[in-house]
Amino acid sequence: MIAVNPTDSASLLAAFGALGVLVVIFAESGLLVVGFFLPGDTLLFPAGVLCAATADRPPRLELWQVLVCAAVGAVAGGQLGYLIGRHGGRPLLDRSSRPRVQAGVVRAERLLARYGYGKALVIGRFVPMVRSVLHPAAGALGVPVRTFTVWQTVGGVLWSQSFVLAGYALGSSVSHIDHYLLPLVAVIVVLSMLPLLVEARRRR
């Protein structure tokens, strides 16, 4: 029996490949609490790297499969999150006692109020900790279904495809790049946290 760590990108990709991308991105985009503990950016980028072929190694994953699975997981997960929020309402968002979830709710509401529905749903996809709570928050706050569906689809496709293709481009141009996946993932985590750090500094 293979032990798989659902928070570890390398473990997920080795065990499940493109299917793992679909399931994890779906859960991260749609399940309010579970999504906080799953990799998003740090799964898509390495998956793209593993799709690349170089002179010293063949691709380990099929690019088209990863792209399709990433897009489907992002869009379907976002829609599920919206439905959960719409049916659960504001009490659903307030029910969790986890500080990270509550902080994510506050940021999601601020994002929707500041940028409007369209921009917020696209920008929020690229912000960790906001991404997992944005869609339930949109449902609970009464964002119109059609508006939500259009813009969360745009945001989900842009986010998922850009990270996969960025990994693919780097993997195609740098030999043995898969040997440095852990440092790359660390860099991605730092970069993805920059919007939150900028926001915190601006608030101070």
Side-chain angles (χ1 to χ4, degrees):
M1 185 174 180
I2 300 175
V4 178
N5 180 358
T7 64
D8 178 55
S9 301
S11 175
L12 285 165
L13 292 171
F16 302 113
L19 182 61
V21 172
L22 190 155
V23 173
V24 171
I25 297 303
F26 174 83
E28 199 229 11
S29 300
L31 301 181
L32 182 60
V33 176
V34 176
F36 275 87
F37 303 97
L38 296 175
D41 307 337
T42 55
L43 176 67
L44 295 173
F45 190 87
V49 170
L50 296 178
C51 292
T54 61
D56 57 287
R57 61 168 175 78
R60 299 183 188 180
L61 299 174
E62 290 287 341
L63 179 62
W64 72 268
Q65 292 178 357
V66 172
L67 289 171
V68 169
C69 287
V72 170
V75 174
Q79 210 65 31
L80 173 65
Y82 175 83
L83 293 174
I84 291 173
R86 190 174 180 88
H87 289 288
R90 181 71 206 204
L92 174 70
L93 302 180
D94 296 333
R95 192 175 303 159
S96 176
S97 60
R98 295 179 182 273
R100 290 178 63 186
V101 174
Q102 291 304 317
V105 170
V106 171
R107 292 190 183 101
E109 292 178 333
R110 188 180 296 125
L111 199 66
L112 288 164
R114 180 177 181 182
Y115 293 105
Y117 298 151
K119 284 185 179 179
L121 289 168
V122 174
I123 294 172
R125 280 284 188 173
F126 293 84
V127 183
M129 293 193 293
V130 171
R131 183 165 52 241
S132 297
V133 76
L134 179 62
H135 307 126
L141 295 173
V143 177
V145 176
R146 184 173 180 178
T147 300
F148 174 84
T149 301
V150 169
W151 288 109
Q152 80 93 3
T153 299
V154 172
V157 170
L158 283 176
W159 168 66
S160 62
Q161 308 303 278
S162 62
F163 272 88
V164 172
L165 291 174
Y168 177 77
L170 187 63
S172 299
S173 58
V174 180
S175 298
H176 304 293
I177 189 65
D178 54 324
H179 295 168
Y180 307 100
L181 282 182
L182 287 179
L184 282 172
V185 167
V187 171
I188 293 168
V189 169
V190 172
L191 292 176
S192 65
M193 293 298 291
L194 285 179
L196 298 178
L197 296 176
V198 170
E199 180 191 356
R201 183 172 181 178
R202 189 175 296 165
R203 288 174 62 190
R204 285 200 298 268

